[in-house]
């Protein structure tokens, strides 16, 4: 591989591509968890989002409809999860797992007729003049709208959590649901909304995978990204700016695996493919060592039951 | 406005503990009929092909046992962890490691016809699974790292490792460059118990282990400790039960059984190492554990039912051209319905009528 500026910009562009679905899903889960809801079903919501987006785009030709359909399908899955865990008080861990098992089966069922269909990918938003800049143009201004949206959402999420009243209420519900309930906030309703938002973001992350990152449908194409996104939230100590950092770091590791041979790394591809998963474990260990999970919302994963 | 309210029962309903799995199965069957109808098939024919036809022959019953064996073995190990609130979600990876280690022994001794090869492989399989399960247990007890995420990540690592092995060190030297090992020698295969089926010694071993664990859970101190740690962590602490010990114990036991299940797959129905040796038994076993109420007898029944869903998926694929993925959909639905029905154990459902302006 020649190390020209173009190669570097190509590598950076692929890192951004690998990071974006992780960033979207993790930002959604972060809001979920800030409200006290632990949804382990990200992988399931993501893969259903991916197949629904691809199905919609290839049958209607409209990318916008595809993205919308993915968001809605993620929300529908999150609604099932919320009804079970919030209304019926089922175990959040088991329900999240069920969501993933169900989602992988369902996506494969829907996607049966989509295998082998090609799609040119979401349109890139070229910005006049800026996109033509050497290197910078490629790296910063040659992406589709979901990439820009994911970065915008980092700032929006930070602002929402720290500067708005709704954000404060959301955090209160996650830190102490009994206190929030006693001063009159509808805990269950707020948790439903947070969970649905998480579903929407996971569906969107799935849409990015099947419409932009590798525009096609393949069984199990999320390949554990939902779980990595979950780990990212822990890594980020529930801070959106650290989610951004973590997602791009993982994007980098994923790309190292793709470009490993080209970069002259004489390691079997399977070992390079293990890197994102091993890195996740290492990162989790480092975080739990320092933080002892002090950053987690106090009521994370705990059911709330109101007697009246 | 009509509203559904939950009313706490003064004590958990024993009747509902047993009824809710049945309710969940019935609801799954009804959803299945709707699903078949929506795909343009007769609902009744669909149910017949999926849930009855696979077991109308002796061969089919043998297959049922073959598929139920790994599920039951893994589920009973996981259930003991779940009882103590230890979430080993990585049984699939432990299964794969069992196959890599135990199956590796079969390849190493492929010219031997010693009767010791198979026992050695069984032990190797267990040790492989245990070693893989030891990692999340160590990280949990030493650094308080979430065992859910670490055990899951290790599953992906194990599958990639298997891929590497069958493409590299384990690849059949006399084959055609396919990513698979040579077929195991006769001495490395589990003997068939019933002529004309694939029912093998593995199913018998599983039944014996199930019985032994039942005794352990109901009659021994460690079984009691598992219960208490899960049900009343504070009491357990007061009684001086060592939580770390329980984490290690449940992980190593679960890992050993998953590893054994993986080895018995490659030394049984498969007979060699391939890139894919399990259709997700490690994950489905989680459903089996819950559906079986974390109890050995319940797990036996739940394992048979889940095995039927795999067979049904295959039959429906062959006879009705339906995607094999239907199995996963049914399994997911069943767990959803079970979790939903379980609300009735602790709560009564009450319909209340109030004005639309009513505050809640």
């Amino acid at each position: 591989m020649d190390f020209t500026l173009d190669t570097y910009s190509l590598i950076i562009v692929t890192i951004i591509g690998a990071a974006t679905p992780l960033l979207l899903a993790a930002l959604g889960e972060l809001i979920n968890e800030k409200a006290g809801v632990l949804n382990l079903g990200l992988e399931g919501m993501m893969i259903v989002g991916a197949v629904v987006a691809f199905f919609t785009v290839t049958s209607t030709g409209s990318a916008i409809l595809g993205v919308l359909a993915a968001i809605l399908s993620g929300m529908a899955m999150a609604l099932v999860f919320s009804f079970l865990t919030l209304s019926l008080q089922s175990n959040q861990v088991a329900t999240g797992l069920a969501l993933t098992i169900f989602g992988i089966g369902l996506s494969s069922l829907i996607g049966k007729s989509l295998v082998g269909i090609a799609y040119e990918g979401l349109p890139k938003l070229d910005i006049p003049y800026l996109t033509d800049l050497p290197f910078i143009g490629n790296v910063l201004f040659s992406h589709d709208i979901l990439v820009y949206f994911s970065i915008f959402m980092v700032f929006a999420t930070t602002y929402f959590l720290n500067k708005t009243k709704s954000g404060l209420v959301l955090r209160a519900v996650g830190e102490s649901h009994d206190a929030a309930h006693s001063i009159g906030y509808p805990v269950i309703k707020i948790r439903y909304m947070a969970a649905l938002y998480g579903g929407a973001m996971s569906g969107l992350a799935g849409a990015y995978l099947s419409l932009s990152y590798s525009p096609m449908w393949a069984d199990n194409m999320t390949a554990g990204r939902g779980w990595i996104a979950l780990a990212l939230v822990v890594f980020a100590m529930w801070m959106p700016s650290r989610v951004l950092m973590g997602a791009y770091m993982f994007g980098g590791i994923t790309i190292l695996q793709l470009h490993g041979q080209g970069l002259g790394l004489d390691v079997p591809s399977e070992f390079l493919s293990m890197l994102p998963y091993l890195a996740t474990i290492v990162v989790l260990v480092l975080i739990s060592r320092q933080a002892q999970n002090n950053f987690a919302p106090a009521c994370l994963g705990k059911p709330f039951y109101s007697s009246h | 406005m009509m509203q559904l309210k939950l009313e706490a029962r003064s004590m958990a309903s024993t009747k509902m503990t047993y009824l809710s799995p049945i309710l969940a199965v019935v609801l799954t069957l009804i959803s299945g009929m709707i699903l078949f109808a929506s795909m343009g098939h007769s609902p009744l024919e669909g149910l017949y092909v999926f849930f009855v036809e696979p077991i109308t022959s002796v061969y089919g019953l043998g297959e049922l046992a073959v598929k139920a064996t790994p599920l039951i073995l893994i589920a009973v190990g996981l259930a003991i962890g779940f009882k103590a609130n230890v979430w080993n979600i990585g049984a699939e990876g432990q299964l794969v490691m069992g196959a890599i280690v135990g199956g590796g022994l079969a390849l190493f001794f492929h010219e031997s016809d010693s009767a010791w090869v198979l026992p050695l492989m069984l032990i190797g399989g267990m040790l492989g699974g245990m070693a893989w399960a030891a990692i999340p247990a160590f990280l949990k007890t030493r650094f308080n790292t979430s065992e859910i995420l670490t055990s899951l990540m290790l599953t992906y690592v194990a599958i990639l490792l298997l891929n590497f092995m069958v493409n590299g060190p384990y690849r059949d030297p006399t084959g055609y460059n396919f990513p698979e090992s040579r077929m195991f020698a006769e001495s490395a295969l589990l003997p068939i118990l019933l002529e004309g089926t694939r029912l093998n010694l593995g199913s018998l071993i599983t039944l014996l282990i199930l019985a032994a664990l039942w005794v352990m859970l109901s009659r021994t101190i460690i079984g009691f400790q598992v219960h208490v740690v899960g049900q009343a962590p504070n009491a357990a602490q007061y009684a001086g039960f060592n939580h770390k010990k329980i984490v290690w114990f449940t992980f190593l036991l679960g890992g050993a059984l998953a590893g054994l299940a993986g080895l018995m797959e490659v030394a049984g129905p498969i007979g060699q190492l391939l890139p894919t040796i399990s259709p997700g038994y490690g994950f489905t076993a989680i459903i089996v554990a819950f559906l079986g109420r974390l109890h050995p007898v319940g797990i036996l029944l739940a394992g048979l039912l889940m095995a039927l869903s795999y067979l049904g998926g295959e039959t429906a694929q062959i006879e009705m051209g339906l995607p094999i993925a239907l199995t996963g959909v049914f399994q997911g639905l069943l767990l959803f319905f079970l979790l939903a029905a379980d609300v009735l154990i602790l709560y009564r459902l009450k319909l209340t009528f109030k004005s639309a302006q009513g505050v809640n």
Side-chain angles (χ1 to χ4, degrees), chain A residues 205-287:
Chain A
Y208 182 80
L209 269 182
S210 67
L211 298 185
S212 181
Y213 186 62
S214 44
M216 56 157 196
W217 166 252
D219 272 355
N220 275 323
M221 69 181 291
T222 45
R225 285 187 180 84
W227 300 105
I228 293 180
L230 265 162
L232 268 180
V233 180
V234 182
F235 165 75
M237 300 176 185
W238 291 266
M239 285 183 264
S241 57
R242 284 185 56 124
V243 173
L244 177 78
M245 203 177 83
Y248 277 80
M249 201 182 84
F250 275 90
I253 296 169
T254 312
I255 292 317
L256 186 65
Q257 151 214 326
L258 288 179
H259 291 281
Q261 252 91 15
L263 293 169
L265 288 174
D266 190 20
V267 179
S269 65
E270 289 92 355
F271 287 94
L272 290 171
S273 303
M274 288 175 194
L275 284 176
Y277 309 110
L278 292 174
T280 307
I281 295 175
V282 170
V283 155
L284 283 170
V285 168
L286 293 176
I287 294 302

Side-chain angles (χ1 to χ4, degrees), chain A residues 120-282:
Chain A
E120 73 275 18
L122 286 181
K124 306 275 179 250
L125 292 184
D126 284 343
I127 300 160
Y129 307 115
L130 290 179
T131 308
D132 299 330
L133 288 172
F135 190 66
I136 308 277
N138 233 340
V139 170
L140 293 182
F141 303 110
S142 67
H143 304 288
D144 55 62
I145 190 162
L146 293 182
V147 172
Y148 300 118
F149 177 76
S150 69
I151 293 167
F152 165 77
M153 285 314 286
V154 176
F155 297 103
T157 309
T158 309
Y159 181 80
F160 169 78
L161 284 172
N162 298 320
K163 302 279 186 222
T164 67
K165 187 176 174 233
S166 316
L168 187 70
V169 172
L170 182 92
R171 285 190 291 145
V173 163
E175 290 296 342
S176 171
H177 47 218
D178 291 324
H181 175 69
S182 65
I183 47 176
Y185 291 115
V187 172
I188 297 290
K189 198 171 134 195
I190 290 166
R191 288 196 171 162
Y192 258 98
M193 279 159 47
L196 288 179
Y197 173 77
M201 291 293 272
S202 286
L204 191 59
Y208 182 80
L209 269 182
S210 67
L211 298 185
S212 181
Y213 186 62
S214 44
M216 56 157 196
W217 166 252
D219 272 355
N220 275 323
M221 69 181 291
T222 45
R225 285 187 180 84
W227 300 105
I228 293 180
L230 265 162
L232 268 180
V233 180
V234 182
F235 165 75
M237 300 176 185
W238 291 266
M239 285 183 264
S241 57
R242 284 185 56 124
V243 173
L244 177 78
M245 203 177 83
Y248 277 80
M249 201 182 84
F250 275 90
I253 296 169
T254 312
I255 292 317
L256 186 65
Q257 151 214 326
L258 288 179
H259 291 281
Q261 252 91 15
L263 293 169
L265 288 174
D266 190 20
V267 179
S269 65
E270 289 92 355
F271 287 94
L272 290 171
S273 303
M274 288 175 194
L275 284 176
Y277 309 110
L278 292 174
T280 307
I281 295 175
V282 170

Side-chain angles (χ1 to χ4, degrees), chain B residues 59-116:
Chain B
Y59 180 78
L61 286 169
E63 286 300 289
L64 188 71
V66 166
K67 292 226 159 38
T69 294
L71 291 174
I72 292 168
L73 199 53
I74 300 168
V76 70
L78 294 184
I80 293 170
F82 294 166
K83 262 180 190 296
N85 256 324
V86 180
W87 296 93
N88 176 7
I89 306 299
E92 183 79 3
Q94 292 144 25
L95 175 154
V96 168
M97 286 311 283
I100 290 178
V101 175
L105 289 169
L107 297 176
F108 187 78
F109 291 113
H110 79 272
E111 278 168 348
S112 162
D113 53 6
S114 161
W116 288 103

Side-chain angles (χ1 to χ4, degrees), chain B residues 25-276:
Chain B
V25 170
V26 171
L27 288 171
T28 307
L29 292 180
I30 294 172
S31 321
M33 290 166 78
I34 297 170
L35 205 59
F36 286 124
S38 72
M39 289 186 295
H41 294 277
S42 148
L44 286 176
E45 188 207 342
L47 284 191
Y48 178 80
V49 169
F50 209 96
F51 292 104
V52 183
E53 196 180 313
I55 44 172
T56 47
S57 66
V58 176
Y59 180 78
L61 286 169
E63 286 300 289
L64 188 71
V66 166
K67 292 226 159 38
T69 294
L71 291 174
I72 292 168
L73 199 53
I74 300 168
V76 70
L78 294 184
I80 293 170
F82 294 166
K83 262 180 190 296
N85 256 324
V86 180
W87 296 93
N88 176 7
I89 306 299
E92 183 79 3
Q94 292 144 25
L95 175 154
V96 168
M97 286 311 283
I100 290 178
V101 175
L105 289 169
L107 297 176
F108 187 78
F109 291 113
H110 79 272
E111 278 168 348
S112 162
D113 53 6
S114 161
W116 288 103
V117 173
L118 194 59
L120 198 66
M121 287 164 63
L122 293 172
I123 294 168
M126 283 198 263
L127 289 178
M130 277 169 104
W132 214 236
I135 303 170
F138 171 74
L139 298 177
K140 172 81 181 173
T141 50
R142 181 79 174 75
F143 303 117
N144 199 24
T145 310
S146 158
E147 75 275 26
I148 297 177
L149 290 172
T150 52
S151 60
L152 247 165
M153 291 296 134
L154 286 169
T155 296
Y156 291 97
V157 176
I159 292 170
L160 285 163
L161 191 63
L162 175 62
N163 242 300
F164 167 74
M165 296 305 275
V166 294
N167 272 298
Y170 282 179
R171 188 159 59 193
D172 183 359
T174 59
Y176 298 92
N177 263 345
F178 286 117
E180 55 188 47
S181 78
R182 62 167 93 233
M183 295 300 293
F184 290 177
E186 197 61 40
S187 60
L189 292 174
L190 290 162
I192 299 286
L193 294 182
L194 191 62
E195 208 52 51
T197 69
R198 299 201 298 167
L199 179 68
N200 61 53
L201 189 65
S203 300
L204 192 63
I205 294 177
T206 298
L207 279 180
L208 293 175
I209 291 178
L210 194 67
L213 288 174
W214 190 7
V215 172
M216 187 209 78
L217 276 177
S218 52
R219 300 266 183 276
T220 66
I221 296 284
I222 186 89
F224 176 67
Q225 290 188 346
V226 164
H227 275 287
V228 179
V229 166
Q231 295 300 311
N234 294 331
Q237 210 171 11
Y238 186 70
F241 296 167
N242 186 340
H243 184 255
K244 285 185 177 176
K245 201 176 94 185
I246 298 289
V247 172
W248 272 107
F249 172 74
T250 54
F251 255 103
L252 291 182
L253 181 68
L257 296 183
L260 182 60
L263 181 271
M264 294 199 311
E265 279 303 292
V266 292
I270 303 178
Q272 67 183 136
L273 282 155
L274 301 168
T276 309

